[in-house]
Amino acid sequence: MSKTYLGVDIGGTAVKLGLVDDTGRVLRRAERSVSFDGYKTPILDTVQTAIRDFLGSHDVPKLEGIGVSATGQIDSRRGVVAGTCGNFPGWIGVDIKGTLEREFCLPVTVANDANCMVLGEVWVGAAKGYTDVIGVTLGTGVGGGVVLGGKLLTGYTGAAAEPGHMVILDTPDAPRCTCGRPGCLESLASATALIRMTKEAMAAHPESALRGIAAQSGGVNGRTAFDAAAQGDAAGKAVVEQYIHYLAVGVANMINIFFPEVIGLSGGVANQGENLLAPLRAAVGPMVFGNAYAQKHTRITTCTLGYRAGVIGAALLAKNQG
């Protein structure tokens, strides 16, 4: 008889829950907004309510444990939020593990959301069958998770693998990152950065197709420059080329440090598929040390699990604890 686990993914706008069996199948899922009252309710209270409602509304078999994927810097050894994350006031210092274990009388494991994403992809997603994998999320920020030899790289506090905060453009005028330093990968290769670059190009080139494409979509988003480039628009092409260059520098750095079998990209920008991947691979190759002589090369691809990745990866955490 298969064992079941509850995967909980705490994101910037929603709590996703999934009942996951020991093969990685999501048997049931649910979602709860975390911003329904303007974040007046503490996030962990919302999480507990969501879990109680989920368990109460389904005929849930006996759970072996709860795994939690959480935004922010997570001290995974203690299950505590160690660093700030976006618009979650009062999130630093929250004891996720202790609170949920007391409430539900089950073992609880906690990790950063990007770490859980890569675990999910290794278990049943784009990197299944591989032991050395890096997952990179291209969203509001740039997050990452590293699996080496089949084990998650956590560092001594559990908060290792933050590729978004490697500096790739050390110039006085480089965009400043949310961490305070200029030129971080997050400030140059996130969806937020792509949108900023697109707006700057629109202002500098009012004759371009960017403005019309943005108007049709209700505003600038991560697709605007790619859509313009696909139409042959020079300003759109310039934005896409610059964005891919920055991303390529970061990806090449990760390959040079870890030389994984797979790098999987997730998040809205990754939905561009080969329009992003083909030129990214071409740009990364020459930057990789020994690339011309290597018998094996890192496969750069997109992740496949989408919204399920965090839930499945969190459940795998719980499974591995058992």
Side-chain angles (χ1 to χ4, degrees):
M1 185 175 178
S2 65
K3 295 180 178 180
T4 54
Y5 307 86
L6 181 64
V8 181
D9 184 10
I10 308 172
T13 59
V15 178
K16 301 180 182 71
L17 304 100
L19 186 65
V20 183
D21 70 12
D22 52 14
T23 69
R25 284 192 309 144
V26 179
L27 306 176
R28 301 189 188 95
R29 66 184 184 92
E31 188 170 318
R32 175 72 58 89
S33 168
V34 299
S35 57
F36 62 94
D37 61 356
Y39 298 100
K40 294 175 184 176
T41 300
I43 302 303
L44 199 55
D45 288 357
T46 300
V47 171
Q48 292 180 83
T49 300
I51 294 174
R52 282 193 294 268
D53 290 348
F54 183 79
L55 298 180
S57 62
H58 298 290
D59 182 17
V60 176
K62 179 180 179 294
L63 293 175
E64 301 296 324
I66 299 173
V68 179
S69 162
T71 185
Q73 279 190 309
I74 306 298
D75 182 340
S76 58
R77 286 162 173 71
R78 296 188 299 134
V80 174
V81 181
T84 187
C85 51
N87 54 3
F88 278 16
W91 192 230
I92 296 178
V94 171
D95 181 4
I96 299 173
K97 175 180 172 66
T99 302
L100 296 185
E101 285 185 338
R102 288 189 295 271
E103 176 69 20
F104 298 103
C105 300
L106 286 166
V108 174
T109 54
V110 187
N112 168 266
D113 51 2
N115 285 346
C116 288
M117 176 274 291
V118 72
L119 286 174
E121 294 292 340
V122 167
W123 193 13
V124 294
K128 184 178 180 180
Y130 295 93
T131 59
D132 296 270
V133 178
I134 297 176
V136 181
T137 60
L138 305 174
T140 304
V142 173
V146 178
V147 171
L148 297 176
K151 296 183 178 180
L152 186 67
L153 177 68
T154 61
Y156 76 96
T157 65
E162 287 288 350
H165 299 291
M166 71 170 95
V167 173
I168 64 167
L169 184 63
D170 186 16
T171 61
D173 58 345
R176 192 163 294 275
C177 181
T178 54
C179 73
R181 294 196 303 169
C184 285
L185 183 64
E186 180 166 300
S187 68
L188 295 162
S190 61
T192 305
L194 178 56
I195 290 170
R196 183 195 69 240
M197 292 161 60
T198 303
K199 289 180 177 178
E200 290 170 352
M202 283 173 56
H205 303 281
E207 77 288 353
S208 77
L210 291 169
R211 192 173 301 278
I213 291 171
Q216 292 173 5
S217 304
V220 177
N221 56 43
R223 300 185 305 273
T224 305
F226 280 91
D227 289 346
Q231 295 180 15
D233 181 71
K237 283 183 176 180
V239 171
V240 169
E241 289 171 2
Q242 186 66 72
Y243 174 82
I244 288 175
H245 168 73
Y246 290 140
L247 180 58
V249 172
V251 168
N253 286 346
M254 288 180 253
I255 293 174
N256 288 333
I257 295 169
F258 298 111
F259 220 101
E261 298 166 282
V262 177
I263 288 187
L265 306 179
S266 72
V269 181
N271 291 334
Q272 291 296 324
E274 287 299 315
N275 289 334
L276 170 69
L277 293 176
L280 177 64
R281 294 182 189 117
V284 167
M287 301 184 204
V288 173
F289 180 73
N291 190 66
Y293 312 104
Q295 293 181 337
K296 293 185 178 181
H297 299 272
T298 298
R299 182 166 68 94
I300 302 172
T301 187
T302 51
C303 295
T304 59
L305 296 180
Y307 74 89
R308 298 176 295 158
V311 166
I312 293 173
L316 179 60
L317 282 175
K319 178 176 183 286
N320 287 344
Q321 177 176 272

